[in-house]
Every structure is written in C-alpha cells, then in structure tokens.
Amino acid sequence: MTTTQLDLNLILPGHPLENDACVSRINDTLAQRRGVEKAHFKKTNGKAELCVHYDPDLLSLDAIKRVAKEAGAEVRERYRHETLRLSGLHCADCATSIEGVTQRLEGVLAVSANYAAEKMSVTYDRRKVGRAQIVKEVESLGYQVKETDAEADKDEHARKVLGLSLGLFLSLSAGTALLIGWLGETFFSLPFAGALIFYVIAYITGGYDASKHAVRAALKGRFDIDSLMVVAALGAASLGEWPEGALLLFLFSLGHALEHYAMDRARNAIRALADLTPKTARLRRNGVEQELPVSELRIGDTVIVRPGERIPADGEVVEGSSAVDQAPITGESIPVEKNVGDTVFAGTINGDGSLIFRSTKNPEDSTLSRVIEMVEQAQTAKSPTQRFTDRFQRYFTPVILITTVLLIALPPLFGVPFDKSFIRAMTLLVAASPCALGLATPSAVLSGIARAARSGVLIKGGVHLENAGMAQVVVFDKTGTLTAGKPKVTDLWTVQDSQSSDELLALAAAVEAKSAHPLAKAIVQAAEEKGLKLPDTGDLEAYNGKGVIAPVASKVVRIGNSGFMSEAGVFVSEAAMQQLRQLESQGKTSVFVSYGDELVGIIAMRDEAREAARSTIAALKNLGVRHTVMLTGDNSLVAEAIGTELGLDEIRAELLPEDKLLAIKELKERYDKIIMIGDGVNDAPAMVESTVGIAMGGAGTDVALETADIALMADDLSKLPYAISLSRASRRMIVQNLAISLGVIAFLVPSAIFGLVGISIAIVFHEGSTLVVVANALRLLGFKGRESAGARPGKPVTVQVDTAN
C-alpha cells in the first residue's frame, strides 16, 4: 500500500479547514474506488489534507487526484457553508430557537447560532433546501438576516438605536403604569377597576416584545424564554395577581433592553475593525492620479498616501519614507519607520511623510481583511465551556418543564390550593430560566477576542482563549523567537595559517548564497560587507539539521556540524574541536567548513537574544507559568548559554524538526496543556501538536495566520504575557459567570418549589444575574494586562540534549 496526501484547499477551495460532512463525503467516494484501502482527514503543519491509502498496482495517483477533484466539485455544487448575520436577537434563548427551527428543515446538515456574536453558521444540501428558505424560516421567528455591505451596517446601526429607544420607552412606560396603579390602589384608595387599567397598560407595554416573539416561536412548536414569561404573567393575572405579573414583564423588558445595550458594546469593538480601512484610495494609473473605491484596487497598483491618511491596502513602499502607526493591526505603541522596500498594511495610519507603494494583495486578501474574517469565525466557534453549558441546558430544561407540570398537578391532590401551586409553578419557570447561563461563556469569549484584536493579538476561537488561560507550560523556539533571527558572523578560524579568513569566508559564502537558512544569510552578508569575490559553485544539496554541500572548482565544499563531517570522512582534529567548544561556550553557533576531504576552518555566528526575551520569561513566571522550555536545533553549548542568560527552566538542544514534535508530545503527557510559540513556519508541526500554537509576526507572515491558534500580529515577544494574562482573565470571567448563573439557579429553584420566593423576587434575581454576567464580561474590554517589570529571576537551567546527530 502507498499513501498520498491531497491538499484540501485545492479540492474544496475556501472550505473551512476542518473535518465535516463535506470532507466525509469525499473520503467515502474515494474509499469506494477499487484499490483504495481508506481515506481520512488529516491536519499537519497547519494544512488540511486528505490522506489516501491505496494500491498503486490497481489505481494510479493521477486517478486518485481526478476522483478527488470530481468529488470536490460535486460537493461544492451541492453543499454550502454560510455564515449569516442576524438582527433582532434579544436573548440567548433566541439563538436556541433559531437552531431548533432551522435544524428541522430537510437538507440542513448543521447549524449553530450565536446570540453574543449575532451570527449563524449553517451547512445545507442545495438539492433539498435553499438559502432563501433558511432565511425565511429564521425571519418567521421575528429575526432578520442582513447583508454584509457598509450600507447595511449603517442601516442596522440606525435600527439598533431605534430598537433600543423603543424597548426602553415601552419598558419605562410599563414601570410607570405599574407604579401609578400600585400607588393609587395602596395609598390613594383607587378602586381596583381603576388600578386595573394601569396594570393592563403595564402588561401591554411591558409584554409587547416578548409576546410577539412568543407567539411566533409557539407557531413553530418552540417554547422559549419569551413564552415562559408571557405564560407566567398571564397565569398571575388569571389568579388576580396583576401587580406581580406587571412587575415581571416590566423587569423582564427592562433587563433585556439593558442587556442588549451592553452586548452591543462588545460587538461594536469587533465591528470597529471593519472601519479601519478607508473607503477610497488615491491611485496613479497610466501617469494619471485618480481616486477610486478600495474595492477596485488591483495587485500592482501604485497607491499614493498623504500625511495623516489611513493606508488603504497591503503593499510595498516604492517611494518616500514616513513613520506609520501600526497599532490598529499589530498593537505596537510606537510608530514604525517605513522606507523603500518595507511592507505596509491596510488600516494603518501614515505619519508626517508621504508614501507611494505598490499594492501586493487584493483588498479581500489584506492582512486586516483576513484578521476580520478570522475574528468573525472565532465568534461563532463554541468553546469547551460553552459546549458544556449547552449540554447542561439540554437536560436541565426538560427536567424543569416536567417538574413544573408536576408542581401544578400534584399539590392540589393533597389539599394545597390550586392557585398557590400554580403560582409556585410559574415562579419555578421564571427562576429556572437559564438566560444568565446561556450568556456566561459567549459574552466573555466575545469580549476577550474583541479586546485581543484591538491589542494586536489574534485569537481564533473560544477554545484557544480558554486553553491558553489554563496552560502552565510555555515552549519556545529559539531562532527568530527568543533571538532576533538575524545572526551575524563573529569569528573566522582557519586550520592552516597560510589560508586567510577572507578566503574561508568567500568559500563558504559561495555555497551558502544558494541557501535561505538564516545562518547562510549571515555568512553571505559578511562576505558582501567585505566586498569579497565569490567563486563559482554548482547545485546546492541540503541535509536537514546537518549541513549543505556544493561543488566548487574540482572539489566538494561541505558546511555543517561535526556529525556531518564524520559521515563524509572529513577528519576533525582535537584542536578544531577545542576551538569549536570555546566558541560555543560563548553562545555562538559554529559550523565547520571543509574543501574536498580536508577541514579548512570554522565560522562562528551569534544570534543575539531579543531585548524583551528575559523580561518576557520573567513576566510569565510572575503570571504563574510553572515551566518554560526551549527547543532548538542548535548545539547544547550555544543553547545553554542563551538559556542561562534568559532564565529558562529546561533546554532541549540538537533537535531535528521531528524531534521537536516528539518533545511536544512528551511534554503534553507530563503537563497536559502546553503553549508552543514560534515563527509559524519551521515550527508548524510542533505548534499544531501543542495545545495552543502561538505565532509571532502574524501581520507579515501568511503561514503564521494560517497555522497558529493565536497570532501576535507584531514581531514582539513582550505581547506573549499579555496574551496569556488576557486568556486567564477571560477564563476567570467565564468561571465567575458560571458561578453566578448556576448559583442563582441553585438558590431560586428549591426556593420556588417550596414557596419561599414569589415571582417578583424570582424575576429580580433572574434579570439581575443576567445583567451582572454581561457587565462582568464587558470588563474584559478594558483589560490592561500585567507589566513585566519587577519579575523574579528564573530558576536554574536544566539542559537536556538529544544526540540526534
């Protein structure tokens, strides 16, 4: 049997990189072919793939690719994944109603609605149901599905303001009518018939919105929170408890109006990202300047940005220089100097200079557009805690409904007055309504993701937000993460006195000129700075983790470690080894250079630790991180020197990429949840294997945006403690919200069953807990994080070496 991997993005372009019904259908189609043993989904190095095990004697690779593409085309034609923007949702139960009603449509395969994000993800079979039918079903409940263009957003904002104003007006009208009726009846001898008029007004104004939604839900066979409140209020009225019912509807309507206002604050923090890009751009086409909508920008366009303007697209500066405020994208507090050849990002703000740049991405592919898209996807993804609360409610709600029926029916059989048992049952319905529980997690996740995005930290979902907050171990890549990733040549040592250091450098640079490795670039740069003439070379051969070879003149030049030299039969003297150890003890990475079968010298380089590295590690320990680890392919002496300098707890050196992957698996077994931070390219396998993979420099690296669970948009290591502390704060908010919501339910349910609280007390606790939960979550929008100053020093370094070479 032979195995091949097919890129899912080529088979299903634009499809979410996840295993779902569409992917399963393609796998099933492949598995039915003669010669295919099995086909399954696989995610490696941040790439989603279909792994096919087949017999090459029965089926060719070309045939497999053809079948996969045909199956992919059929799936794309038949199935749709869509995210719909919703409007008019006024409680967490609204999302549950939408899911329940939409799921019943034939052809709808999966649906997930999120009240906090006002979004709905749906997967459906176009042969059985259409988008228009799904939209019609949602709107039949009284909600709206809106478009995504700017005009729709503008209209939606106006509708929200109007809706909030109307909701508050109706609620306050209900409260005023209730107060007049109660005061008149209690203190001014107003006849009950007169007071009843005001109570009825309170019922109509306070219950208008809830009744509208309750009736629509009932027609669809749904019994939601609105139905519950209306039934409870009507039940109270039927027993003559008009003030109780009016108070219930007044507090319920007021609570929802305030809750909706509070949730909009978190939503607006994310919507504000879309307003960062200007609507028009000033272009130079065919020598003529013109202003066009940003949507008409094309790759290669010459864009002119004047002082103080927002940059409309991603591109490369071709003329001018200026300081650019990149805080909207990367969270950097200090403007970044931009000169010819530098990259600029859409949504950032130009400083005092003028810039002319060449557009390198289409508007929809800009870094900002991708960040917005990923944040929107993150909002709809449910975290582990949210899935737990969903399961809890799925079992809890039927139990409460059954208990309510029994509470109405059984007590009268034992002599309890019917009106008393009915009121207790209505109170139980109010008390057990899990509105606060439904909002406990999504409100905190929404606020946490919004705050992170505003600070240059992209978190791709609630699961990563929670896991990063629970991880106690942080694993670092060395090169480009703990160090600047820009090594410089520090020493040139030649075996023979007759050979000059320049000759050694020129020989090595000639070979390394064809390599993209950071060490190779350092050697080439050193030769260029000296103006050395490089000899001609043949094709380069690279041996991962060991070294490179290329022919020069009549002999082969080898550059690599001692193991690489030994394998080739190149003799390395004790003097050379001693010189190597001396250089590496100084934290310098050193490579041997041989010409033919003879060693000719050693080149030493040093990649300096980032300025923020030590303070970052100290800040992590202040946050309570138990263990910090560095994984590197560098030798143990260099690793130990860097690790000692930075205060790391554990160092694993001389690792090949596959060794890093094994190290992550072992650390996960020991510590459960771990964070791995790297550059998102070379470390992709290890990052994917870790609980949470964090990539640095996401604004400039497409791979980092794709592979990482969290991306630090700036190339700034000091953002790491902030990201972790924000995740922990979000986790604390979630736990606090769950404690509040479950605590209120635990108190109210038995109190209602035994008649210790009335409807008015139950609704005060119910609405109060919901508002407290939302207000608590909103505190994340102002989260500042911890400073790294004053951190305690790290523990002694433990060096652990894998002798992979």
Side-chain angles (χ1 to χ4, degrees):
M1 282 290 172
T2 302
T3 302
T4 187
Q5 279 79 36
L6 306 178
D7 189 345
L8 181 62
N9 201 36
L10 296 178
I11 299 170
L12 291 175
H15 186 277
L17 302 183
E18 58 189 31
N19 192 13
D20 62 4
C22 293
V23 176
S24 296
R25 182 169 290 272
I26 295 174
N27 285 335
D28 290 343
T29 301
L30 287 168
Q32 291 170 9
R33 298 286 298 198
R34 181 171 175 267
V36 175
E37 181 183 3
K38 66 175 181 177
H40 59 91
F41 175 85
K42 184 180 181 183
K43 197 168 184 180
T44 55
N45 299 351
K47 236 168 90 174
E49 298 173 325
L50 299 183
C51 186
V52 185
H53 303 259
Y54 69 102
D55 186 342
D57 293 332
L58 299 176
L59 195 65
S60 69
L61 178 58
D62 287 340
I64 289 175
K65 290 180 179 179
R66 186 182 67 253
V67 171
K69 286 182 178 179
E70 290 172 354
E74 182 183 352
V75 165
R76 289 199 308 274
E77 177 64 26
R78 180 171 178 180
Y79 299 99
R80 283 288 183 272
H81 295 267
E82 289 200 49
T83 298
L84 307 180
R85 301 177 66 191
L86 305 175
S87 177
L89 278 67
H90 63 284
C91 65
D93 214 27
C94 300
T96 306
S97 294
I98 290 173
E99 288 180 356
V101 170
T102 310
Q103 187 71 64
R104 292 203 297 254
L105 289 174
E106 185 182 4
V108 172
L109 305 178
V111 59
S112 175
N114 189 309
Y115 163 63
E118 288 191 313
K119 293 182 185 294
M120 167 184 169
S121 297
V122 60
T123 303
Y124 60 95
D125 184 343
R126 293 180 64 214
R127 293 182 185 176
K128 297 180 179 179
V129 66
R131 184 182 191 274
Q133 191 176 349
I134 295 172
V135 170
K136 182 180 178 182
E137 200 71 9
V138 172
E139 293 184 340
S140 71
L141 290 169
Y143 313 117
Q144 297 85 44
V145 176
K146 54 182 180 169
E147 300 302 323
T148 59
D149 55 71
E151 194 61 39
D153 283 340
K154 182 178 177 181
D155 293 343
E156 176 61 18
H157 177 70
R159 282 197 299 270
K160 281 184 179 295
V161 172
L162 179 63
L164 177 61
S165 301
L166 180 61
L168 284 172
F169 173 76
L170 291 174
S171 178
L172 294 176
S173 298
T176 303
L178 168 62
L179 184 61
I180 293 172
W182 181 76
L183 288 175
E185 188 179 17
T186 306
F187 296 105
F188 299 102
S189 303
L190 181 69
F192 175 73
L196 182 60
I197 295 174
F198 292 101
Y199 294 147
V200 170
I201 292 174
Y203 262 68
I204 293 172
T205 53
Y208 171 77
D209 197 51
S211 300
K212 182 175 64 175
H213 287 289
V215 170
R216 284 173 169 160
L219 292 175
K220 293 293 182 179
R222 298 290 303 177
F223 186 77
D224 59 13
I225 181 65
D226 294 303
S227 308
L228 184 156
M229 293 299 170
V230 170
V231 169
L234 293 176
S238 69
L239 298 175
E241 302 285 348
W242 285 92
E244 292 273 0
L247 178 62
L248 184 154
L249 293 175
F250 161 61
L251 291 175
F252 181 66
S253 60
L254 179 62
H256 273 321
L258 295 176
E259 172 194 322
H260 210 183
Y261 167 75
M263 288 304 300
D264 267 348
R265 283 192 57 199
R267 296 184 188 118
N268 289 338
I270 289 179
R271 290 194 190 104
L273 289 172
D275 297 330
L276 292 176
T277 304
K279 302 296 181 285
T280 60
R282 190 175 295 103
L283 309 183
R284 182 187 294 161
R285 284 182 179 171
N286 302 319
V288 178
E289 286 190 20
Q290 53 185 309
E291 193 165 304
L292 294 175
V294 169
S295 59
E296 295 183 21
L297 268 174
R298 299 192 299 265
I299 294 175
D301 274 335
T302 300
V303 184
I304 302 168
V305 185
R306 293 172 180 168
E309 292 183 341
R310 283 192 182 271
I311 293 172
D314 286 10
E316 181 180 312
V317 177
V318 295
E319 187 178 329
S321 63
S322 183
V324 175
D325 179 4
Q326 297 192 153
I329 304 295
T330 65
E332 292 167 288
S333 58
I334 300 174
V336 179
E337 286 292 332
K338 297 292 182 180
N339 297 294
V340 174
D342 289 337
T343 300
V344 291
F345 303 109
T348 56
I349 306 166
N350 187 25
D352 295 333
S354 293
L355 291 175
I356 298 177
F357 69 90
R358 181 178 59 83
S359 175
T360 56
K361 291 181 181 179
N362 289 319
E364 65 273 14
D365 296 326
S366 71
T367 298
L368 178 60
S369 297
R370 296 179 68 192
V371 167
I372 293 170
E373 180 184 357
M374 290 176 179
V375 168
E376 289 182 342
Q377 291 173 355
Q379 293 176 64
T380 57
K382 293 187 177 181
S383 70
T385 304
Q386 191 172 349
R387 288 196 291 270
F388 160 75
T389 56
D390 287 348
R391 288 195 302 271
F392 175 84
Q393 291 181 68
R394 195 157 50 242
Y395 294 107
F396 177 73
T397 301
V399 170
I400 290 298
L401 291 176
I402 293 171
T403 305
T404 301
V405 172
L406 295 176
L407 198 56
I408 294 174
L410 293 183
L413 299 179
F414 298 94
V416 177
F418 176 77
D419 58 345
K420 184 178 288 188
S421 65
F422 186 82
I423 283 292
R424 286 187 182 181
M426 295 301 100
T427 303
L428 175 63
L429 281 180
V430 174
S433 174
C435 278
L437 184 63
L439 278 174
T441 300
S443 60
V445 168
L446 182 70
S447 298
I449 289 175
R451 184 68 185 100
R454 283 164 47 190
S455 303
V457 178
L458 174 61
I459 302 177
K460 294 188 181 177
V463 61
H464 310 307
L465 183 69
E466 286 195 39
N467 284 337
M470 292 188 286
Q472 295 294 323
V473 177
V474 178
V475 180
F476 296 88
D477 166 54
K478 181 179 79 71
T479 304
T481 303
L482 289 172
T483 62
K486 297 177 181 178
K488 293 185 177 180
V489 172
T490 59
D491 299 86
L492 296 165
W493 181 82
T494 58
V495 172
Q496 298 177 1
D497 294 337
S498 60
Q499 184 181 32
S500 70
S501 59
D502 284 355
E503 289 174 330
L504 170 65
L505 182 59
L507 185 65
V511 174
E512 296 287 24
K514 297 184 177 182
S515 172
H517 194 281
L519 296 180
K521 291 180 180 179
I523 292 172
V524 173
Q525 183 181 354
E528 289 175 348
E529 289 174 354
K530 288 192 171 189
L532 301 179
K533 183 179 180 181
L534 309 184
D536 294 331
T537 65
D539 293 336
L540 181 82
E541 292 182 39
Y543 295 83
N544 197 11
K546 296 181 179 180
V548 295
I549 65 172
V552 176
S554 58
K555 296 183 180 180
V556 171
V557 174
R558 289 179 174 81
I559 304 174
N561 56 31
S562 58
F564 190 49
M565 296 296 156
S566 298
E567 289 177 8
V570 176
F571 173 71
V572 179
S573 67
E574 181 57 33
M577 289 301 300
Q578 186 176 350
Q579 181 66 32
L580 179 77
R581 287 191 289 268
Q582 181 181 344
L583 291 169
E584 290 180 342
S585 67
Q586 299 168 14
K588 299 173 182 177
T589 301
S590 304
V591 292
F592 289 110
V593 181
S594 69
Y595 186 55
D597 295 331
E598 294 183 5
L599 184 71
V600 293
I602 300 174
I603 299 178
M605 292 151 281
R606 183 171 170 90
D607 185 9
E608 297 294 336
R610 287 179 182 267
E611 187 177 338
R614 181 169 179 78
S615 61
T616 294
I617 292 168
L620 292 177
K621 293 181 178 180
N622 268 350
L623 286 171
V625 171
R626 290 169 50 198
H627 203 61
T628 54
V629 184
M630 179 173 75
L631 303 181
T632 178
D634 220 333
N635 70 75
S636 58
L637 290 175
V638 172
E640 183 177 1
I642 294 289
T644 302
E645 178 184 339
L646 299 181
L648 289 158
D649 296 319
E650 182 179 348
I651 298 165
R652 300 193 181 196
E654 300 179 13
L655 301 178
L656 297 174
E658 53 268 32
D659 299 324
K660 287 186 178 182
L661 188 61
L662 292 174
I664 291 294
K665 290 180 178 179
E666 192 230 308
L667 287 167
K668 277 178 71 176
E669 290 178 1
R670 284 168 53 193
Y671 297 104
D672 189 22
K673 289 182 170 57
I674 66 169
I675 293 170
M676 167 74 184
I677 178 166
D679 60 13
V681 183
N682 299 327
D683 307 304
M687 287 168 61
V688 170
E689 180 62 31
S690 62
T691 312
V692 178
I694 300 181
M696 292 180 59
T701 311
D702 288 344
V703 178
L705 285 176
E706 295 296 340
T707 60
D709 303 314
I710 298 176
L712 309 182
M713 301 305 290
D715 190 26
D716 182 2
L717 193 62
S718 66
K719 288 281 185 183
L720 178 60
Y722 176 84
I724 293 177
S725 58
L726 174 61
S727 297
R728 291 190 174 183
S730 302
R731 175 70 182 167
R732 285 195 301 272
M733 296 298 182
I734 291 171
V735 172
Q736 290 168 9
N737 285 351
L738 289 177
I740 292 168
S741 53
L742 290 172
V744 168
I745 289 175
F747 165 71
L748 286 181
V749 168
S751 299
I753 291 174
F754 294 106
L756 301 177
V757 297
I759 288 183
S760 58
I761 299 296
I763 190 63
V764 167
F765 272 89
H766 173 274
E767 289 303 312
S769 64
T770 302
L771 291 176
V772 167
V773 160
V774 174
N776 191 41
L778 288 182
R779 291 195 295 137
L780 287 170
L781 293 177
F783 181 78
K784 300 291 186 184
R786 296 188 183 183
E787 300 296 331
S788 60
R792 64 178 173 81
K795 300 175 184 177
V797 176
T798 302
V799 178
Q800 181 169 337
V801 180
D802 275 340
T803 54
N805 297 325

